[in-house]
């Protein structure tokens, strides 16, 4: 192949989805000359599936991306059409923000951000090969035979890599949303030794908004007061649009059951593994035959389009069957479908082949992010893209990697789960995956991570100064609440009015706020001289005070966790020579090369007894030294 030289970059990002955008912006903002490639610039930050950002667990990731200086939170605040805080009936650890996006505006705003970013070039090009010599990335080659030299590359190909669409018995090479797939790169990655496998995902049909019967569905409005995703926004003024709730029924289920044999999922055409927590409608009906109905959400795709997204109804059944079963659902009897549902299969890497900094173990300078790593969801992709971009920039600069552990962030949980435990299906973050979720709340993401983002050069000075002011306000107000006391004559009338017990003696406002029924905003009735604070600061103060005892308990557990994480394992350790390690443990440890005893303890197949053997071995080495 005759190639021609087209320039040199520090970091090249392949793919401009949610992972690629965050990776490229992070690298460029940290001072690296960066190039991002997309097969089609209309696919930049594309939302081929659900037109929303956030949700349970996912909202935590977006807040953490924002706290580190990423872009997703800022972009969804710009393009939000509806916002809701989920799980408000439960504790603050699982409160999760979710916003409906104008998907077209989301794409345009992110593309504009990339275009305006210093140190960043964006080109419509298909990467077909990565040049590697002596285990080190040298550059990339495009479809047009252009050669770009680089020191590091981030692979963020999403579902484009050897993508194949399935609709009934019909299947054909395609990326998401009818765009072209990337096939040559997949073959060349295999040639380089990357162990690729097939995963699957799917998306429901779209239909025209004026063909729904809204009086037959339940209206779902956004929150009256919108909570922004980005720490840089104290409030948002959005003209919100409604979503709608409806359900499948027995007629729907019968049509689908009668056509199981025509589904690509059951017909054997699909070899890839699909997501457990977002199954197709035929998979739901097959797995849960006693369920009389499944809920669906009808959501707008944007302000400048009439297309609506039917969440909860992805399928690989043929179009004629789709037409029949969609029309059996209340409110959907007369819909005009503009885009049929489909399943898409694609190549991805086994994440067990990655280091904690998301670098491929066998090739220096090759970083991987997003659905290419076996995850699902825009938020999981963006979080990995951010970390891959950061670590590519740090490696180019000769600096130590930036790694978040499980006690510091949901991002740490996500990456540790992928590279330490692996996944046999598209991985989805959930609050239940985090052991320390009371400390890893979405309201304190800036408190946990902004200092770290500033230290590596990603958080701007403006953001950092705003963070310091917010932190100082919270500190001063908690001090004032401790020092300000009220007696029965000051507070009893207020307390009785909200159903709380009257006082026996004077107490501090700090202790009063520990009562579940007492809230900071309502205490204005007995605390008229309070300072003006942002809602964000108020939320942090209230949660820290009300859950103070539980937070301290969790922090003690984190200290124990940190001790195991701090016990580092030598890079050149020969596990075959450690006596008393079981054969399975030796094999797993030799393959995965954990960096610490803590990480080793989370590897499937490594038992507590094996960890004790490692600890004894480390102690012997320490004494010998």
């Amino acid at each position: 192949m005759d190639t021609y030289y087209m320039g040199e970059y520090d970091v090249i990002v392949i793919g401009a989805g949610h992972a690629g955008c965050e990776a490229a912006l992070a690298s460029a903002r940290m001072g690296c000359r960066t190039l991002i490639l997309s097969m089609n610039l209309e696919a930049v930050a594309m939302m081929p599936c659900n037109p929303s950002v956030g949700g349970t667990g996912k909202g935590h990731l977006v807040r953490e991306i924002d706290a580190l200086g990423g872009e997703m939170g800022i972009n969804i605040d710009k393009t939000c059409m509806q916002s809701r805080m989920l799980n408000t009936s439960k504790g603050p650890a699982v409160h999760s923000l979710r916003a409906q996006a104008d998907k077209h505006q989301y794409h345009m705003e992110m593309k504009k951000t990339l275009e305006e970013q210093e140190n960043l070039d964006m080109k419509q090009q298909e990467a077909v090969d990565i040049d590697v010599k002596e285990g080190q990335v040298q550059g990339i080659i495009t479809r047009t035979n252009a050669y770009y030299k680089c020191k590091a590359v981030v692979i963020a190909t999403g579902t484009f890599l050897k993508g194949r669409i399935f609709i009934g018995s019909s299947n054909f090479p395609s990326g998401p949303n009818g765009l072209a797939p990337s096939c040559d790169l997949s073959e060349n990655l295999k040639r380089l030794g990357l162990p690729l496998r097939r995963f699957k995902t799917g998306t429901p049909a779209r239909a025209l908004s004026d063909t729904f019967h809204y009086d037959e569905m339940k209206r779902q409005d956004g929150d009256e007061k919108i909570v922004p995703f980005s720490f840089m926004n104290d409030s948002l003024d959005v003209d919100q649009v409604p979503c709608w709730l409806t359900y499948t029924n027995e007629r729907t289920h019968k049509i689908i059951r009668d056509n199981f044999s025509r589904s690509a999922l059951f017909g054997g055409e699909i070899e890839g593994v699909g997501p457990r927590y977002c199954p197709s409608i035929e998979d739901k009906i097959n797995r849960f035959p006693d369920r009389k109905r499944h809920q669906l959400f009808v959501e707008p795709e944007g302000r400048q389009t009439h297309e609506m997204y039917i969440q909860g109804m992805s399928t690989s059944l043929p179009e004629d069957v789709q037409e029949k079963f969609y029309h059996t659902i209340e409110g959907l009897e007369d819909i005009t479908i503009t885009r049929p549902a489909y399943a898409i299969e694609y190549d991805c890497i086994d994440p067990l082949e990655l280091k904690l900094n998301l670098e491929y173990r066998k090739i220096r300078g090759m970083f991987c992010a997003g659905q290419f790593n076996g995850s699902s969801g825009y938020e999981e992709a963006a979080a990995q893209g951010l970390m891959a971009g950061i670590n590519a920039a740090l490696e180019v600069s000769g600096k130590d990697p930036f790694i978040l552990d499980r006690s510091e962030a949901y991002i740490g949980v996500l990456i540790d789960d992928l590279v330490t435990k692996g996944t046999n299906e598209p991985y989805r973050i959930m609050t239940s995956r985090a052991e320390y979720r009371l400390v890893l709340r979405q309201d304190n993401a800036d408190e946990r991570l902004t200092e770290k983002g500033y230290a590596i050069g990603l958080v701007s000075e403006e953001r950092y100064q705003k963070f310091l002011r917010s932190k100082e306000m919270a500190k001063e107000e908690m001090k004032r609440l401790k020092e300000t006391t009220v007696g029965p004559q000051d507070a009893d009338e207020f307390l009785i009015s909200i159903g709380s017990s009257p006082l026996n003696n004077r107490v501090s406002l700090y202790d009063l706020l520990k009562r579940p029924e007492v809230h900071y905003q309502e205490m204005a009735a007995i605390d008229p001289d309070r300072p003006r604070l942002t809602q964000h600061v108020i939320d942090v103060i209230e949660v820290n005070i009300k859950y103070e005892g539980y937070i301290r308990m969790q922090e003690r557990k984190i200290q124990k966790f940190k001790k195991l994480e701090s016990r580092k394992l030598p890079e050149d350790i020969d596990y075959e020579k450690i006596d008393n390690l079981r054969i399975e443990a030796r094999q797993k440890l030799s393959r995965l090369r954990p960096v610490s005893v803590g990480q080793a303890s989370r590897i499937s197949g490594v038992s507590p007894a094996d960890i004790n053997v490692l600890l004894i071995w480390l102690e012997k080495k320490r004494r010998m030294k």
Side-chain angles (χ1 to χ4, degrees):
M1 182 192 302
D2 293 327
T3 61
Y4 51 90
Y5 180 74
M6 281 295 290
E8 180 176 356
Y9 291 87
D10 294 316
V11 177
I12 295 178
V13 179
I14 300 173
H18 303 281
C21 289
E22 295 292 350
L25 288 169
S27 170
R29 288 167 178 172
M30 291 172 67
C32 290
R33 187 154 186 256
T34 306
L35 171 67
I36 184 169
L37 301 178
S38 176
M39 292 176 64
N40 189 326
L41 291 183
E42 300 312 307
V44 171
M46 180 175 66
M47 292 180 162
C49 199
N50 200 343
S52 70
V53 167
T56 303
K58 294 171 178 281
H60 291 70
L61 288 177
V62 182
R63 281 283 180 84
E64 291 178 352
I65 291 166
D66 183 71
L68 287 167
E71 196 65 25
M72 178 172 263
I74 293 172
N75 208 56
I76 185 59
D77 281 354
K78 289 178 185 176
T79 59
C80 167
M81 293 197 299
Q82 189 200 91
S83 179
R84 297 179 69 193
M85 187 68 75
L86 307 181
N87 301 327
T88 53
S89 62
K90 301 177 182 178
V94 295
H95 291 180
S96 296
L97 191 58
R98 182 182 187 272
Q100 203 66 30
D102 183 323
K103 65 187 296 180
H104 306 293
Q105 189 185 0
Y106 189 95
H107 148 73
M108 290 189 294
E109 287 289 344
M110 188 66 85
K111 182 170 177 282
K112 181 181 175 184
T113 300
L114 294 173
E115 291 167 345
E116 294 175 350
Q117 178 61 50
E118 187 180 357
N119 294 325
L120 178 60
D121 291 340
M122 178 170 57
K123 294 182 184 293
Q124 182 166 294
Q125 282 275 23
E126 180 186 357
V128 297
D129 200 2
I130 299 174
D131 182 25
V132 176
K133 288 185 175 63
E134 298 179 355
Q136 168 72 54
V137 166
Q138 304 291 320
I140 65 104
I141 300 167
T142 72
R143 169 69 61 197
T144 58
N145 296 336
Y147 183 92
Y148 292 92
K149 189 176 180 182
C150 66
K151 300 169 185 173
V153 65
V154 178
I155 303 173
T157 47
T159 60
F160 282 85
L161 203 59
K162 217 169 183 181
R164 179 168 285 271
I165 295 280
F166 293 83
I167 304 174
S169 60
S170 172
N171 66 83
F172 47 90
S174 176
N177 224 16
L179 297 174
S182 172
C183 295
D184 287 358
L185 179 61
S186 182
E187 295 307 312
N188 284 321
L189 290 175
K190 289 178 185 176
R191 177 180 54 78
L192 289 171
L194 276 72
L196 300 185
R197 53 187 179 171
R198 299 290 276 176
F199 272 2
K200 174 197 82 82
T201 188
T203 188
R206 273 69 162 178
L208 293 177
S209 59
D210 58 0
T211 61
F212 288 85
H213 298 301
Y214 297 101
D215 56 340
E216 297 178 13
M217 300 186 287
K218 184 179 179 182
R219 180 173 171 137
Q220 301 273 303
D221 288 310
D223 293 339
E224 187 175 339
K225 188 172 183 179
I226 293 179
V227 177
F229 265 111
S230 178
F231 176 74
M232 297 303 287
N233 296 317
D234 293 330
S235 62
L236 290 178
D237 184 15
V238 175
D239 181 16
Q240 298 192 71
V241 298
C243 297
W244 306 86
L245 173 65
T246 187
Y247 297 88
T248 62
N249 53 58
E250 286 290 358
R251 288 190 301 138
T252 318
H253 297 185
K254 184 178 187 309
I255 291 171
I256 292 171
R257 282 194 199 98
D258 290 345
N259 288 278
F260 273 168
S261 61
R262 299 184 65 192
S263 167
L265 179 66
F266 299 137
E269 293 92 345
I270 295 176
E271 62 179 270
V273 181
R276 177 191 305 263
Y277 300 102
C278 189
S280 65
I281 188 62
E282 59 263 42
D283 198 19
K284 290 180 189 176
I285 291 168
N286 183 53
R287 286 163 54 187
F288 309 108
D290 296 332
R291 287 281 296 274
K292 301 299 182 185
R293 63 179 191 172
H294 296 278
Q295 70 177 11
L296 313 173
F297 289 95
V298 176
E299 303 168 334
E301 295 245 292
R303 296 184 189 275
Q304 304 303 317
T305 178
H306 290 290
E307 285 190 298
M308 304 288 279
Y309 175 88
I310 308 171
Q311 186 194 156
M313 284 291 272
S314 68
T315 181
S316 60
L317 282 161
E319 288 178 82
D320 61 324
V321 179
Q322 291 187 37
E323 288 279 349
K324 289 177 183 175
F325 74 67
Y326 274 118
H327 289 159
T328 64
I329 298 166
E330 279 192 287
L332 280 62
E333 296 91 343
D334 298 309
I335 59 168
T336 298
I337 295 174
T338 54
R339 309 185 199 210
Y342 63 83
I344 183 168
E345 201 176 64
Y346 55 93
D347 279 355
C348 58
I349 193 173
D350 182 347
L352 291 175
E353 298 295 327
L354 305 177
K355 302 177 186 177
L356 282 168
N357 67 345
L358 295 180
E359 187 177 29
Y360 178 50
R361 294 178 185 279
K362 298 175 182 176
I363 299 177
R364 189 174 177 190
M366 181 181 286
F367 293 83
C368 307
Q371 286 183 272
F372 181 68
N373 289 354
S375 65
S376 69
Y378 310 143
E379 303 82 1
E380 290 89 340
Q384 293 172 71
L386 179 73
M387 297 299 285
I390 289 171
N391 281 304
L394 290 172
E395 182 156 310
V396 163
S397 306
K399 297 177 180 177
D400 291 337
F402 178 66
I403 294 168
L404 295 170
D405 69 40
R406 303 181 70 89
S407 70
E408 294 174 311
Y410 271 83
I411 293 175
V413 174
L414 162 67
I415 293 175
D416 186 65
D417 276 354
L418 285 170
V419 308
T420 304
K421 301 177 182 179
T423 182
N424 295 319
E425 61 194 30
Y427 176 98
R428 176 179 179 175
I429 196 66
M430 293 178 287
T431 53
S432 59
R433 295 191 190 271
E435 302 92 324
Y436 312 112
R437 55 184 173 271
L438 188 54
V439 172
L440 305 184
R441 306 183 311 275
Q442 61 169 11
D443 63 85
N444 70 351
D446 58 303
E447 187 180 331
R448 291 184 279 116
L449 299 174
T450 297
E451 292 271 10
K452 297 177 185 292
Y454 185 71
I456 61 173
L458 185 54
V459 167
S460 68
E461 189 64 35
E462 178 191 5
R463 174 185 286 273
Y464 185 59
Q465 291 303 321
K466 183 173 181 180
F467 159 71
L468 290 179
R469 289 193 298 272
S470 175
K471 186 177 178 181
E472 186 61 26
M473 279 193 288
K475 180 182 175 182
E476 288 296 318
E477 179 59 359
M478 289 179 75
K479 181 173 179 283
R480 187 190 72 85
L481 290 171
K482 286 180 178 178
E483 295 172 350
T484 305
T485 62
V486 291
Q489 70 279 11
D490 307 310
D492 279 0
E493 184 179 347
F494 160 70
L495 292 172
I496 292 168
S497 72
I498 62 169
S500 189
S501 304
L503 299 176
N504 294 322
N505 45 44
R506 295 189 72 82
V507 299
S508 68
L509 293 177
Y510 186 96
D511 287 333
L512 200 60
L513 192 52
K514 288 183 177 180
R515 296 186 178 190
E517 65 276 8
V518 177
H519 297 285
Y520 183 89
Q521 296 284 33
E522 296 170 352
M523 283 203 316
I526 57 173
D527 183 26
D529 299 326
R530 60 173 54 196
R532 291 188 64 181
L533 302 173
T534 64
Q535 187 60 48
H536 171 75
V537 172
I538 291 170
D539 291 342
V540 170
I541 289 171
E542 190 156 346
V543 173
N544 280 335
I545 291 175
K546 287 189 183 299
Y547 294 87
E548 183 178 36
Y550 296 104
I551 291 171
R552 284 179 179 169
M553 287 171 57
Q554 201 150 96
E555 286 172 344
R556 286 195 290 270
K557 291 180 181 179
I558 288 173
Q559 287 173 2
K560 293 179 181 178
F561 164 81
K562 291 279 192 183
K563 285 182 181 178
L564 281 180
E565 296 300 301
S566 67
R567 300 296 298 272
K568 299 301 180 184
L569 294 168
E571 287 186 16
D572 59 351
I573 185 171
D574 186 349
Y575 292 102
E576 294 297 331
K577 293 182 179 179
I578 300 178
D579 294 334
N580 300 320
L581 268 183
R582 295 177 309 111
I583 293 175
E584 183 183 8
R586 290 178 183 181
Q587 292 173 344
K588 292 288 182 67
L589 292 166
S590 296
R591 178 193 173 191
L592 300 179
R593 314 300 304 177
V595 298
S596 69
V597 175
Q599 187 186 7
S601 71
R602 295 188 293 277
I603 294 174
S604 175
V606 177
S607 70
D610 296 320
I611 296 303
N612 282 333
V613 170
L614 279 179
L615 289 170
I616 292 168
W617 182 87
L618 285 172
E619 182 60 20
K620 285 181 179 178
K621 295 286 285 185
R622 186 189 68 81
R623 289 180 180 179
M624 288 172 64
K625 286 183 179 180

